[in-house]
């Protein structure tokens, strides 16, 4: 049986995510701001949760229709085939959002959604009251320009929670955004990657996962594993497939530096949790002491330096960019990728990038400056 799915992502990573979805067998792929829609069977859903590196979560679409009044919302939900997804004893709490729609009150929408779903499912199962004593099926809804979408979350905890980063420094980059940056940098299995502001090691670990072709969700579980419409065999097959695809004999290596020795130690600890300590080393080192001579001739420098809105005052961040310009200007076959929200970065760094790409770090608009020629 085929299903429709929606996978939200960071703004700017839609193209990367759509490519990932195509690789795992998703069909009818449609891209819009901040999300990718696709269709597929239970196997595709399992592969998506286990294998997509830039998706925030994977939701099964229960129905879509236009709703400008509460009556339209209520009647629309009554017509959906909810019993195909939610069992007789399942619980179905809901959360959602409303943007540019007539129905602005989210709490009011939640009450209507809950009541209509209970009546719909009660009719399907021949009961007056849904007990909701079984599996929790987290329902999400979206009202966008009066277009209502009802979804069932198959992921549970956000997909950025890979399981390797139980601890982090003051301003970590989200794993899904880091994976998108790694994809833009085209990290491959024989590459050397360096992050001179490694923090908790997220960019280095995501680079290693990519280079070794390790599915990011391989070590965790998902809400959908408890849903009746997604059989256990689909998850088992997806995991076996992902395990078989790992490149175990890779020449990849990653190097992290940080002025804070505790961050370097944290990078090593997280790399060990991820099972990647063989490929990643980290040490305390100031950016003033950075040298390309310590790396391979074709190393890729990929980094998320501290900046004004995050950890430093803007003046301090810009002083840091000047120092970076004296140490990180790429030479030979080296490549450099830096993400920052500072629109003046290129001027302060001292070199215009070959290309830059707009990405959002949470709600903060950033640019990924790329030096690769």
């Amino acid at each position: 049986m085929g299903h429709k799915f929606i996978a939200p992502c960071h703004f700017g990573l839609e193209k990367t995510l759509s490519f990932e979805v195509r690789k795992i067998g998703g069909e009818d792929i449609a891209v819009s701001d901040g999300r990718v829609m696709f269709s597929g069977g239970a196997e595709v859903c399992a592969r998506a949760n286990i294998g997509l590196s830039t998706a925030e979560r994977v939701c099964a679409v229960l129905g879509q229709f236009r709703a400008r009044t509460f009556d339209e919302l209520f009647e629309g939900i009554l017509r959906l085939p909810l019993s195909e997804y939610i069992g007789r004893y399942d619980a179905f709490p809901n959360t959602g959002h409303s943007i540019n729609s007539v129905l602005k009150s989210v709490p009011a929408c939640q009450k209507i959604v809950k009541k209509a779903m209970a009546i719909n499912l009660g009719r399907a199962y021949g009961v007056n009251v849904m007990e909701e004593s079984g599996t929790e099926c987290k329902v999400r809804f979206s009202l966008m320009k009066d277009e209502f979408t009802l979804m069932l979350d198959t992921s549970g905890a956000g997909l950025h929670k890979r399981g390797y980063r139980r601890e982090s420094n003051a301003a970590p980059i989200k794993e899904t955004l880091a994976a998108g940056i790694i994809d833009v940098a085209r990290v491959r299995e024989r590459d050397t990657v360096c992050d001179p502001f490694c923090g908790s090691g997220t960019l280095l670990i995501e680079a290693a996962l990519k280079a070794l072709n390790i599915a990011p969700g391989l070590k965790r579980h998902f809400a959908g594993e408890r849903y009746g419409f997604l059989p256990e065999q689909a998850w088992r097959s997806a995991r076996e497939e992902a395990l078989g695809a790992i490149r175990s004999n890779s020449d990849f290596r990653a190097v992290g530096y940080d002025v804070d020795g505790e961050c370097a130690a944290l990078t090593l600890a997280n790399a060990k949790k991820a099972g990647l300590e063989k490929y990643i080393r980290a040490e305390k080192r100031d950016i003033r002491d950075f040298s390309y001579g310590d790396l391979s001739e074709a190393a890729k420098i990929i980094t998320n330096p501290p900046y004004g809105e995050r950890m430093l005052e803007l003046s301090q961040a810009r002083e840091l960019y000047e120092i970076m310009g004296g140490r990180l200007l790429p030479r030979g076959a080296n490549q450099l990728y830096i993400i920052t929200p500072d629109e003046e970065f290129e001027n302060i760094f001292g070199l215009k990038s070959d290309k830059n790409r707009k990405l959002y770090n949470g709600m903060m608009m950033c640019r990924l400056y790329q030096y690769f020629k």
Side-chain angles (χ1 to χ4, degrees):
M1 178 184 172
H3 310 279
K4 287 186 178 179
F5 299 100
I6 290 177
C9 64
H10 284 270
F11 286 102
L13 293 182
E14 296 90 348
K15 186 177 178 182
T16 300
L17 177 54
S18 67
F19 180 73
E20 284 194 283
V21 168
R22 191 169 288 109
K23 278 180 67 178
I24 57 113
E27 298 177 338
D28 307 317
I29 298 169
V31 176
S32 59
D33 287 347
R35 66 183 193 176
V36 174
M37 291 145 284
F38 59 99
S39 61
E43 298 80 5
V44 167
C45 180
R47 282 191 212 122
N49 276 292
I50 292 168
L52 295 180
S53 68
T54 54
E56 293 303 309
R57 62 183 62 254
V58 178
C59 296
V61 178
L62 304 179
Q64 292 177 293
F65 53 87
R66 195 161 179 78
R68 292 175 59 85
T69 68
F70 287 124
D71 282 344
E72 287 177 343
L73 177 58
F74 189 82
E75 293 298 326
I77 292 172
L78 288 186
R79 292 192 293 268
L80 300 180
L82 300 184
S83 60
E84 293 178 9
Y85 297 89
I86 297 172
R88 164 72 176 81
Y89 297 101
D90 293 345
F92 45 97
N94 75 81
T95 57
H97 62 266
S98 174
I99 300 173
N100 297 329
S101 297
V102 174
L103 301 178
K104 290 183 171 62
S105 171
V106 171
C109 288
Q110 283 181 281
K111 289 178 182 176
I112 296 292
V113 168
K114 185 70 177 183
K115 183 177 180 181
M117 287 187 69
I119 292 173
N120 178 316
L121 290 165
R123 287 175 181 173
Y125 292 113
V127 296
N128 291 323
V129 178
M130 292 293 291
E131 290 183 24
E132 298 192 62
S133 58
T135 298
E136 183 177 80
C137 298
K138 289 188 177 178
V139 174
R140 296 176 181 269
F141 66 82
S142 163
L143 255 172
M144 184 80 70
K145 295 180 180 177
D146 301 321
E147 190 68 25
F148 180 78
T149 305
L150 193 66
M151 299 164 282
L152 178 58
D153 182 357
T154 71
S155 300
L159 294 183
H160 69 282
K161 295 191 174 179
R162 324 287 210 209
Y164 65 74
R165 196 174 75 179
R166 298 192 192 103
E167 299 179 49
S168 62
N169 61 327
I173 190 169
K174 205 170 181 181
E175 293 87 337
T176 43
L177 177 57
I181 292 170
I182 297 303
D183 190 83
V184 171
R186 297 184 179 182
V187 170
R188 300 292 183 261
E189 62 178 306
R190 290 186 171 82
D191 283 346
T192 296
V193 169
C194 175
D195 182 355
F197 300 96
C198 64
S200 56
T202 306
L203 280 162
L204 299 176
I205 293 171
E206 291 297 323
L209 292 175
K210 177 79 173 178
L212 301 169
N213 203 35
I214 298 173
L218 203 47
K219 291 188 173 183
R220 55 160 285 181
H221 289 281
F222 308 92
E225 292 180 70
R226 302 189 298 274
Y227 299 165
F229 76 100
L230 297 172
E232 183 185 340
Q233 180 56 42
W235 298 94
R236 190 183 305 119
S237 296
R239 282 201 167 84
E240 289 172 359
E241 196 176 80
L243 281 167
I246 295 172
R247 302 184 188 108
S248 52
N249 296 314
S250 172
D251 294 328
F252 173 82
R253 72 184 186 102
V255 182
Y257 303 127
D258 203 288
V259 69
D260 185 342
E262 289 186 11
C263 284
L266 188 55
T267 290
L268 293 174
N270 287 341
K272 188 172 183 180
K273 285 173 194 166
L276 297 168
E277 65 270 31
K278 173 184 172 183
Y279 302 95
I280 298 173
R281 67 179 179 86
E283 62 184 63
K284 179 180 178 180
R285 184 181 296 194
D286 194 293
I287 187 64
R288 294 173 178 81
D289 300 319
F290 177 88
S291 171
Y292 276 104
D294 297 335
L295 305 170
S296 73
E297 292 181 5
K300 292 178 177 176
I301 313 301
I302 308 174
T303 194
N304 173 40
Y307 39 75
E309 290 91 341
R310 215 164 52 109
M311 291 174 69
L312 305 176
E313 294 294 330
L314 185 58
S315 59
Q316 292 177 297
R318 289 182 169 176
E319 184 181 330
L320 190 61
Y321 299 156
E322 284 187 31
I323 296 167
M324 289 165 62
R327 308 304 302 177
L328 292 182
L329 288 179
R331 59 185 69 172
N334 293 121
Q335 296 179 18
L336 176 64
Y337 300 84
I338 298 174
I339 184 170
T340 173
D342 195 334
E343 295 283 350
E344 291 298 311
F345 172 78
E346 289 170 307
N347 293 331
I348 301 163
F349 183 66
L351 184 66
K352 184 172 173 56
S353 61
D354 297 310
K355 190 176 181 181
N356 74 71
R357 179 168 178 168
K358 190 184 291 185
L359 293 175
Y360 278 79
N361 189 354
M363 298 304 292
M364 192 187 302
M365 199 279 279
C366 299
R367 289 188 187 276
L368 179 64
Y369 294 98
Q370 306 165 50
Y371 300 85
F372 49 76
K373 290 182 181 176

